[in-house]
């Protein structure tokens, strides 16, 4: 079939060869033309270049975007790694900052305690709280000082604000302090203004009661309650709290009151354990407000 | 080896009780994590392991508690042992059974603790302590135990170890 076509167009085939030869000659002719003529040809070919520019731009754009993407990808790899390391650094610094803040708070707490320790007329040992309520039937804290540090049972524990509780058990390096809000703790206290004494004791609900107040005591809501110094664990005049409620039933022999403690037991960070003090009036703290005449004090 | 793990578990629980129980408190009701765990171990194992782990955990707890050594040790040992014995009487230990058993054990242990810890309370104060402390604590313990038991049960079921929580009756 093809052969028959080829054989049917012998002239066309000859013409095609002829045209190819002419075109080659024309190209050679152009090659050997003078420079001016070549510029003229350039002017003619300029508009034709537009046809090529389009695809060239497209290819260039694709190439550029691929290169850019590649460059960015490589750069992003570095940025990602840098970001990861910076994130870690931020986390580390945040942790460090948190620790420093915590240490600063603790330092402030202990600074207050140490200032109080330096000025108070008794020997005290600062201790840090390391545990609470190990047995949920006792309101107690665990401190980081024990028998090796010279702590003994029955020593009083206080803060710069007031009374916290009493040491009830001593291990070699830790001690258990029963809080004032526990029913097993009872200390003697008195109303600061009227000097009426009573027994201060916790309740199972965590409140603090003052029992056995004299029936004629003019105790009022808001009166400050301090330690009376009659027991061996606390000196006189340490702040306990203030009267929140006074109760006196018709059949009761004594008055009793509910006390709001001055110390927030749930937010304690550290305490001072009273290791020794002179239980005499002469050694009382001047800041305890005990500047009353001796006759009134001892009534 | 298993003994060492149990001792570590006891130590860890007591330390957690001393440090995290305040975080778990709801309306000033503190959970006794040791009691809860002893009950669960009793339910999951048997009365002997419950007894031994209860005694150990109670001893550790007593070392850091204000009361004398013995109260927690005896009560926790008893609780673990009784929890283990329930597996003989109940055909299948479910979360509901754990709620009821833990509630009962917690009430018994709490009442004993109340009597020993606060011998000075008069009747009215004791009544308030039972209503205000003991019952809420027991409810908290039972729900906590049921929750932990449910999680453990699911994990064991996933690993094909569910047979051990079936009763032995």
């Amino acid at each position: 079939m093809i052969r028959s076509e080829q054989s049917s167009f012998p002239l066309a085939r000859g013409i095609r060869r002829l045209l190819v030869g002419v075109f080659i000659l024309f190209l050679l002719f152009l090659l050997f033309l003078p420079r001016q003529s070549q510029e003229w040809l350039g002017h003619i070919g300029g508009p034709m270049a537009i046809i090529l520019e389009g695809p060239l731009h497209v290819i260039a754009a694709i190439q550029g975007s691929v290169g850019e993407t590649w460059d960015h990808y490589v750069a992003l790899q570095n940025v990602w790694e840098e970001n990861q390391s910076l994130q870690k650094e931020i986390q580390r610094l945040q942790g460090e900052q948190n620790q420093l803040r915590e240490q600063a708070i603790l330092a402030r707490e202990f600074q207050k305690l140490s200032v109080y320790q330096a000025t108070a007329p008794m020997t005290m040992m600062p201790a840090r709280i390391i545990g609470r309520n190990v047995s949920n039937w006792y309101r107690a804290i665990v401190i980081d000082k024990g028998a090796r540090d010279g702590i003994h049972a029955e020593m009083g524990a206080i803060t710069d604000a007031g009374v916290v509780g009493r040491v009830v058990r001593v291990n070699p390096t830790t001690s258990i302090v029963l809080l004032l809000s526990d029913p097993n703790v009872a200390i003697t206290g008195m109303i600061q203004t009227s000097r009426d004494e009573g027994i201060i004791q916790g309740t199972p609900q965590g409140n603090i009661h003052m029992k056995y107040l004299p029936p004629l005591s003019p105790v009022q809501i808001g009166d400050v309650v301090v330690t009376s110094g009659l027991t061996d664990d606390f000196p006189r005049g340490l702040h306990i709290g203030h009267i929140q409620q006074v109760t006196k039933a018709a059949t009761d022999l004594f008055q009793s009151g509910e006390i709001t403690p001055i110390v927030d037991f749930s937010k304690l960070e550290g305490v001072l354990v009273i290791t020794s003090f002179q239980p005499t009036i002469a050694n009382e703290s001047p800041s305890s407000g005990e500047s009353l005449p001796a006759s009134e004090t001892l009534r | 080896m298993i003994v060492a793990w149990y001792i570590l578990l006891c130590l860890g629980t007591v330390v957690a009780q001393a440090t995290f129980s305040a975080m778990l408190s709801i309306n000033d009701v503190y959970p006794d994590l040791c009691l809860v765990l002893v009950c669960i171990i009793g339910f999951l194992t048997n009365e002997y392991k419950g007894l031994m782990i209860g005694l150990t955990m109670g001893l550790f707890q007593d070392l850091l508690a204000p009361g004398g050594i013995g109260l927690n040790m005896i009560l926790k040992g008893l609780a673990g042992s009784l929890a283990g014995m329930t597996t003989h009487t109940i055909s299948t230990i479910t979360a509901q059974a754990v709620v009821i058993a833990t509630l009962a054990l917690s009430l018994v242990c709490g009442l004993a603790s109340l009597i020993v810890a606060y011998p000075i309370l008069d009747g009215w104060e004791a009544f308030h302590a039972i209503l205000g402390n003991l019952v809420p604590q027991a409810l908290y313990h039972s729900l906590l135990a049921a929750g932990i038991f449910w999680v453990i049960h699911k994990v064991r079921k996933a690993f094909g170890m569910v047979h051990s929580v079936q009763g032995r009756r």
Side-chain angles (χ1 to χ4, degrees):
Chain A
M1 178 83 177
I2 295 167
R3 185 172 290 179
S4 63
E5 274 181 5
Q6 280 176 349
S7 58
S8 60
F9 298 106
L11 184 66
R13 193 178 169 189
I15 290 168
R16 210 162 45 202
R17 281 182 182 170
L18 183 70
L19 283 174
V20 169
V22 169
F23 185 68
I24 290 166
L25 282 172
F26 176 70
L27 287 178
L28 285 171
F29 171 73
L30 288 178
L31 193 67
F32 292 107
L33 269 178
R35 187 173 292 272
Q36 288 82 4
S37 305
Q38 279 184 358
E39 281 176 3
W40 178 76
L41 278 173
H43 285 296
I44 296 170
M48 290 176 73
I50 296 168
I51 303 165
L52 292 171
E53 275 177 4
L56 276 177
H57 276 298
V58 170
I59 290 167
I62 291 168
Q63 199 180 6
S65 65
V66 167
E68 205 170 284
T69 308
W70 178 258
D71 288 345
H72 280 196
Y73 174 72
V74 173
L76 274 176
Q77 276 278 46
N78 295 333
V79 168
W80 185 81
E81 282 165 10
E82 197 179 343
N83 190 24
Q84 289 295 310
S85 70
L86 285 172
Q87 289 279 2
K88 280 181 188 168
E89 186 69 9
I90 286 169
Q91 281 176 357
R92 190 185 66 78
L93 288 171
Q94 277 176 339
E96 219 169 68
Q97 188 193 15
N98 194 39
Q99 278 182 350
L100 287 171
R101 199 183 293 135
E102 193 63 27
Q103 280 175 3
I105 291 167
L106 271 176
R108 266 202 303 275
E109 289 288 320
F110 277 91
Q111 193 184 11
K112 277 199 286 183
L113 290 177
S114 65
V115 167
Y116 180 72
Q117 187 186 5
T119 54
M122 47 198 161
T123 315
M124 290 173 286
M125 180 176 288
R128 193 176 171 183
I129 295 167
I130 55 171
R132 290 169 195 273
N133 301 323
V134 179
S135 171
N136 58 351
W137 280 101
Y138 295 98
R139 291 176 187 275
I141 52 173
V142 184
I143 58 171
D144 66 344
K145 294 286 191 296
R148 287 181 194 164
D149 304 291
I151 305 286
H152 301 294
E154 301 298 317
M155 283 179 169
I158 60 170
T159 66
D160 56 333
V163 178
V164 172
R166 182 185 284 147
V167 177
V168 289
R169 173 181 288 177
V170 183
N171 297 322
T173 56
T174 59
S175 300
I176 318 297
V177 176
L178 211 52
L179 299 174
L180 203 57
S181 54
D182 190 278
N184 292 300
V185 172
I187 62 170
T188 54
M190 65 180 175
I191 308 293
Q192 195 172 42
T193 49
S194 67
R195 320 305 289 173
D196 291 316
E197 291 178 345
I199 302 291
I200 291 158
Q201 193 174 22
T203 67
Q205 287 77 36
N207 304 320
I208 301 173
H209 276 172
M210 188 167 191
K211 297 176 176 176
Y212 310 118
L213 276 167
L216 298 176
S217 169
V219 58
Q220 287 179 339
I221 292 169
D223 280 353
V224 173
V225 181
V226 295
T227 52
S228 68
L230 291 179
T231 46
D232 291 338
D233 40 11
F234 295 104
R236 179 185 283 248
L238 293 176
H239 202 166
I240 293 170
H242 59 268
I243 297 285
Q244 188 190 352
Q245 191 186 348
V246 182
T247 46
K248 167 80 171 75
T251 53
D252 287 350
L253 287 175
F254 299 96
Q255 294 187 85
S256 63
E258 198 166 312
I259 296 174
T260 305
I262 191 74
V263 178
D264 187 352
F265 300 120
S266 63
K267 293 192 174 81
L268 282 174
E269 297 276 1
V271 294
L272 292 167
V273 180
I274 302 170
T275 49
S276 69
F277 70 96
Q278 289 293 320
T280 58
I281 295 172
N283 276 347
E284 280 177 13
S285 169
S287 60
S288 61
E290 306 291 331
S291 56
L292 294 168
S295 56
E296 195 171 344
T297 309
L298 299 171
R299 86 182 160 89
Chain B
M1 188 63 186
I2 193 81
V3 175
W5 277 115
Y6 280 136
I7 290 171
L8 270 177
L9 177 75
C10 294
L11 271 173
T13 310
V14 173
V15 170
Q17 170 73 25
T19 47
F20 300 123
S21 67
M23 292 178 195
L24 296 171
S25 72
I26 299 172
N27 198 22
D28 216 22
V29 176
Y30 294 89
D32 189 342
L33 297 177
C34 299
L35 179 71
V36 171
L37 224 69
V38 162
C39 288
I40 289 170
I41 289 166
F43 292 133
L44 293 174
T45 57
N46 54 48
E47 61 268 35
Y48 302 110
K49 279 188 182 169
L51 175 72
M52 293 314 294
I53 290 168
L55 287 172
T56 313
M57 212 178 279
L59 174 68
F60 290 150
Q61 209 177 357
D62 275 334
L63 290 173
L64 291 175
I69 288 175
L71 174 66
N72 281 302
M73 200 171 82
I74 292 165
L75 288 178
K76 298 294 184 299
L78 197 70
S81 176
L82 287 172
M85 280 180 194
T86 55
T87 58
H88 291 297
T89 54
I90 301 171
S91 60
T92 306
I93 303 293
T94 58
Q96 291 89 333
V98 169
V99 168
I100 295 165
T102 312
L103 185 72
L105 288 171
S106 180
L107 283 172
V108 170
C109 290
L111 205 60
S113 298
L114 186 69
I115 292 164
V116 176
Y118 304 143
I120 46 175
L121 295 184
D122 58 27
W124 186 245
E125 284 175 329
F127 177 72
H128 271 286
I130 289 168
L131 275 189
N133 293 35
L134 203 153
V135 174
Q137 266 180 23
L139 285 169
Y140 192 179
H141 290 159
S142 59
L143 292 176
L144 195 61
I148 296 170
F149 180 84
W150 185 79
V151 171
I152 293 173
H153 183 61
K154 288 285 172 193
V155 171
R156 289 167 74 104
K157 204 173 174 182
F159 285 95
M161 297 184 294
V162 78
H163 61 277
S164 60
V165 292
Q166 303 291 323
R168 289 185 290 276
R169 194 177 179 181

